[in-house]
Amino acid sequence: MTEQAPPQQSAAPATGDTRVRAEKLLTDILGLMGYPARLEFQDASDGSLAVALHFEPGPPPGVENGKRSQVVDSLQFLLNKMLHRPGVERRWVLLGAGVIPEPRPRKEPQAPAPAPAPAPTGAAAARPPAPARAQPQAAAPAPAKAPARAPAPPAAPPAKRGEVDERTLEVGEDALLHAAARKLAEKSASLGRFYAIAAMKQDDRARVLKAVSGVAGVAVTGEGEGRCRRMVFSPEKPAPLPRKLLLPEDDEDDFEG
């Protein structure tokens, strides 16, 4: 009998497996979201994998083709967390809505501050500085005391650059958004629950504020800046959540890969 060689162990995942796994995960996630999309892959110049999401028939709320959004950024973060597991090749995946995303430029490290000039040594250090000559001053009459003035009121803080009050914007009517925002405000007031709507355009935030005007028992305000700005519904009488709706007190370390 001839001695057989031991079976070879499977090698680590190849480079092409990143695209296969990314395509499978994206198809499953977008299907669960209810927004399927056709995926277009392309190798980026920095070695990452760029993916264009062509939503069919249309993108989810808050997503515009050719522009960044919180929805696509969150999906990209989740996808890379699921792909970069121990023992698996690490290759960053970029997502774009309707277009192939371009790699983001990396910040260059700042140059260190120049070192201070060395202290003088030798004869220069031993030489004492020349005393300053006293300038003669002419005697001047004492000025009369001015009457005391009332302290000026503190100046109002300047408005932040680019900040606009949505309540002052003139926008067109949106019947569906008007009804949904008003219903959510009434629900927040009746149940005592806090709600928030994110990833909205400035015009839509203005429509929400106009729609909830007059709803008693709830205050609707805009919080945050830029892409992180959101509309928050705060009831006047908050109610505690039922115990069955509370999240279990699990250790965060259990969820680390």
Side-chain angles (χ1 to χ4, degrees):
M1 295 179 61
T2 59
E3 184 177 358
Q4 297 180 353
Q8 297 181 355
Q9 296 182 354
S10 59
T15 304
D17 289 349
T18 301
R19 172 172 175 172
V20 176
R21 291 185 288 115
E23 183 176 8
K24 177 65 169 60
L25 290 173
L26 280 173
T27 302
D28 294 343
I29 295 174
L30 295 175
L32 294 174
M33 292 173 57
Y35 292 94
R38 178 175 57 86
L39 307 180
E40 179 184 358
F41 293 85
Q42 180 177 322
D43 294 331
S45 58
D46 62 346
S48 58
L49 180 62
V51 186
L53 308 178
H54 301 283
F55 293 97
E56 301 173 353
V63 177
E64 293 185 19
N65 290 335
K67 296 183 179 180
R68 290 183 58 187
S69 64
Q70 290 182 338
V71 177
V72 177
D73 287 353
S74 300
L75 181 59
Q76 175 179 295
F77 176 81
L78 175 62
L79 176 64
N80 283 280
K81 278 292 185 181
M82 300 174 70
L83 288 174
H84 298 163
R85 293 295 182 182
V88 178
E89 174 211 10
R90 289 178 175 266
R91 188 184 183 191
W92 191 258
V93 180
L94 304 174
L95 300 183
V99 295
I100 294 292
E102 294 292 336
R104 301 175 187 173
R106 298 182 179 179
K107 295 182 179 180
E108 296 294 337
Q110 297 182 356
T121 58
R127 184 184 305 167
R133 295 183 179 180
Q135 297 293 337
Q137 297 182 357
K145 293 185 179 180
R149 296 182 180 180
K160 295 182 179 180
R161 184 178 181 182
E163 187 178 82
V164 179
D165 187 2
E166 288 90 352
R167 300 180 186 273
T168 61
L169 295 179
E170 295 295 336
V171 293
E173 183 69 20
D174 188 333
L176 293 178
L177 181 59
H178 183 280
R182 197 168 185 87
K183 185 176 181 180
L184 184 60
E186 295 172 351
K187 183 177 180 181
S188 175
S190 60
L191 299 180
R193 299 285 187 267
F194 289 84
Y195 298 101
I197 305 178
M200 296 185 70
K201 300 179 182 178
Q202 189 178 69
D203 292 348
D204 290 336
R205 296 198 297 266
R207 293 186 180 96
V208 169
L209 290 174
K210 294 182 184 299
V212 301
S213 177
V215 179
V218 63
V220 182
T221 55
E223 297 182 1
E225 297 180 4
R227 295 171 55 248
C228 298
R229 190 166 178 81
R230 59 193 180 276
M231 305 307 299
V232 179
F233 294 70
S234 304
E236 293 183 358
K237 298 180 180 180
L241 284 173
R243 182 175 296 274
K244 62 180 180 180
L245 297 180
L246 296 177
L247 295 176
E249 297 180 357
D250 293 331
D251 191 355
E252 294 181 357
D253 296 337
D254 297 340
F255 296 94
E256 295 293 336

